[in-house]
Amino acid sequence: MKVLIVGSGGREHAIAWSVAKSDKVTKIFCAPGNAGIAEYAECVDIKAMEFEKLVAFAKENEIDLTIVGMDDPLVGGIVDTFETEGLRVFGPRKNAAILEGSKAFSKDLMKKYNIPTAGYENFDDAAKALEYLETAKFPIVLKADGLALGKGVLICNTLEEAKDGVKSIMLDKNFGTAGNTMVIEEFMTGREVSVLSFVDGKTIKTMTSAQDHKRAQDGDQGLNTGGMGTFSPSPFYTEEVDEFCKKYVYQATVDAMAAEGREFKGIIFFGLMLTQEGPKVLEYNARFGDPEAQVVLPRMKNDIIEVVEACIDGTLDQVDLQFEDNAAVCVVLASDGYPVSYEKGYPITGFENFKDKEGYYVFHAGTAFKDGQIVTNGGRVLGVTAKGDDLKQARANAYEAIKLISFDNKYYRHDIGKAIDEA
Ligand code: AMP
Ligand code: GLY
């Protein structure tokens, strides 16, 4: 089978690595890919939003299955385009990817179907939003409705801050059209957990849990990023939490989407907050998490192609999804200055240290080839994942492993997985 993967980050590298393990697969392409993905896949110079070119490529090269890793093309309807052309593709259609593409939609869905989430109001008018803030409780959370690279969420401690936030999102359009509509949401406190799942329209099978570290600096300081590191499983995701979410969140979401005529096939990523009142949904994503995929996929026992095909064919109920009884930690190596401004083009050394090193993975996020060398080419450069028998071992292994990789301006958080000590 020939597989095309759409995307270019650490998540797509983890997907490519998983796909490469499948006996069913004879050839992998990735559009556009990166220098690490090139180890398993032929990288094709087509961008994720160039649907027509991707369709033409898939037809010419007789691609049997396309897996879309990124949110933008999914929300933009890549799956519909492929299906219309008779091509087999994994991911939600546009009318289902809205679960991630519109926060206002997902909040209304949760409200309608009694799925636990923070209280909120949606606004498409800045004056009304500003008026609402006058009597609101602080801190309060402002969210641009649409996709904003994980940056469209503002936590405001005072009325002044919140007013500035509304201006920034709705009037100055700092997140572009994503800010045409806005959600104003109750502030919650608690631990965050990411639970990814495979969905076939009716059946949902959750993967092992993970936790991301979104802020740029140690101690959860600094700006929000795409994610600076992850660990899996989360020790805070207890059986009790799992049971609650199975009862009130997971199947309820899949059923709600089906009831709305928006059958969801693909990955649903549940961003949960474990509050005093129980687990609540912070957000939905319609794809694997990045860097969650880098700790979850290395622990998955199943052939990813079998699971993906079961999702497309609606036979996921027959799949026994299994994960290893161990742990994994991923530390992201970034370019100093990320997520604001940073330099690119520095040579990276040390990859050879990972050759045949079992239980260790270097997933490329922002890398490229230049003059025969692999160089830095993004804010997040690499995700170094290590497994261990337990979380502490995995964390120690990951922090040892990152010493083996060098590049100028290498920056990382020192406290990925520190929360494990509090479990
Ligand atoms: P989101 O993109 O919706 O996951 O939001 C990004 C981050 O903002 C989350 O991972 C949380 O850390 C934080 N956040 C979002 N919504 C809330 C909320 N209602 N209360 C507290 N923190 C929140
Ligand atoms: N790590 C968070 C995300 O993928 O959205």
Side-chain angles (χ1 to χ4, degrees):
M1 170 190 278
K2 291 198 222 169
V3 178
L4 169 66
I5 298 166
V6 177
S8 61
R11 165 182 50 216
E12 286 74 22
H13 192 170
I15 294 171
W17 169 82
S18 282
V19 168
K21 284 196 305 176
S22 173
D23 294 339
K24 299 186 186 340
V25 174
T26 50
K27 171 98 185 154
I28 309 173
F29 295 93
C30 189
N34 64 36
I37 294 172
E39 193 183 325
Y40 316 100
E42 187 176 326
C43 294
V44 187
D45 190 18
I46 306 175
K47 296 197 181 70
M49 293 305 286
E50 295 179 317
F51 297 175
E52 299 307 323
K53 283 191 190 170
L54 289 169
V55 162
F57 179 86
K59 285 187 171 171
E60 261 166 45
N61 292 278
E62 298 176 326
I63 300 294
D64 299 294
L65 171 66
T66 298
I67 300 177
V68 184
M70 290 170 72
D71 44 2
D72 284 313
L74 289 169
V75 170
I78 191 172
V79 168
D80 309 61
T81 305
F82 269 63
E83 284 183 347
T84 305
E85 297 288 338
L87 293 163
R88 198 161 158 82
V89 58
F90 176 63
R93 292 184 188 139
K94 186 174 182 167
N95 75 350
I98 192 176
L99 193 60
E100 170 163 9
S102 166
K103 289 186 192 289
F105 168 86
S106 70
K107 294 297 293 189
D108 286 346
L109 185 87
M110 287 187 266
K111 188 183 203 173
K112 182 168 172 188
Y113 293 91
N114 290 317
I115 297 166
T117 189
Y120 74 101
E121 292 282 339
N122 294 337
F123 296 90
D124 51 20
D125 180 284
K128 291 226 170 78
L130 290 167
E131 188 188 315
Y132 173 85
L133 287 174
E134 293 291 342
T135 55
K137 266 201 349 216
F138 294 89
I140 202 157
V141 186
L142 311 184
K143 299 186 174 185
D145 176 54
L147 295 182
L149 296 169
K151 295 180 186 116
V153 175
L154 305 177
I155 294 174
C156 303
N157 289 307
T158 64
L159 177 60
E160 279 316 301
E161 264 181 54
K163 282 180 168 172
D164 285 347
V166 170
K167 285 193 195 105
S168 161
I169 293 174
M170 296 197 89
L171 299 176
D172 302 340
K173 295 270 189 256
N174 283 334
F175 305 99
T177 53
N180 288 350
T181 299
M182 200 180 79
V183 179
I184 301 188
E185 184 173 286
E186 170 202 352
F187 176 77
M188 302 188 286
T189 52
R191 295 208 180 262
E192 288 184 39
V193 185
S194 302
V195 176
L196 315 186
S197 64
F198 289 100
V199 184
D200 75 354
K202 322 178 283 289
T203 301
I204 176 164
K205 296 260 162 118
T206 53
M207 302 179 222
T208 182
S209 62
Q211 186 179 323
D212 189 10
H213 298 65
K214 285 202 168 116
R215 300 290 201 93
Q217 294 162 19
D218 287 0
D220 290 330
Q221 301 296 309
L223 294 172
N224 259 327
T225 70
M228 294 300 293
T230 36
F231 58 86
S232 170
S234 163
F236 307 103
Y237 190 79
T238 58
E239 255 169 51
E240 204 184 341
V241 173
D242 187 53
E243 257 167 45
F244 179 93
C245 293
K246 282 198 170 114
K247 204 161 165 191
Y248 298 108
V249 178
Y250 303 142
Q251 191 68 49
T253 301
V254 175
D255 293 346
M257 290 298 280
E260 293 292 310
R262 297 173 182 273
E263 183 187 63
F264 193 105
K265 287 187 177 198
I267 304 288
I268 300 182
F269 165 149
F270 298 85
L272 303 171
M273 189 172 265
L274 310 180
T275 75
Q276 291 282 348
E277 295 138 44
K280 293 190 183 182
V281 178
L282 273 172
E283 64 159 348
Y284 292 115
N285 295 310
R287 36 124 190 124
F288 281 103
D290 190 352
E292 282 87 345
Q294 286 99 300
V295 285
V296 168
L297 288 177
R299 300 184 54 227
M300 190 167 94
K301 290 187 184 173
N302 304 66
D303 178 331
I304 192 170
I305 296 294
E306 278 179 17
V307 187
V308 160
E309 295 218 284
C311 290
I312 298 172
D313 296 336
T315 55
L316 189 62
D317 57 334
Q318 290 161 36
V319 170
D320 181 17
L321 193 63
Q322 289 205 0
F323 288 81
E324 293 170 0
D325 184 19
N326 56 11
V329 169
C330 171
V331 178
V332 169
L333 301 182
S335 302
D336 197 13
Y338 172 72
V340 183
S341 65
Y342 47 85
E343 293 164 12
K344 296 183 194 177
Y346 292 112
I348 310 170
T349 58
F351 292 116
E352 68 284 358
N353 296 315
F354 290 86
K355 215 169 171 1
D356 304 323
K357 201 168 152 81
E358 209 174 309
Y360 291 81
Y361 312 85
V362 182
F363 294 118
H364 293 224
T367 64
F369 284 112
K370 194 172 118 194
D371 305 328
Q373 245 188 331
I374 295 179
V375 299
T376 63
N377 192 41
R380 290 191 292 179
V381 177
L382 302 167
V384 178
T385 295
K387 286 192 205 171
D389 289 342
D390 59 22
L391 284 162
K392 285 190 177 162
Q393 189 61 53
R395 180 178 58 185
N397 291 348
Y399 275 102
E400 272 305 306
I402 59 168
K403 293 181 191 161
L404 303 172
I405 298 269
S406 307
F407 56 88
D408 282 356
N409 289 359
K410 171 172 138 183
Y411 172 84
Y412 58 90
R413 273 183 63 163
H414 302 81
D415 61 348
I416 301 303
K418 188 163 181 283
I420 295 163
D421 300 328
E422 295 152 28

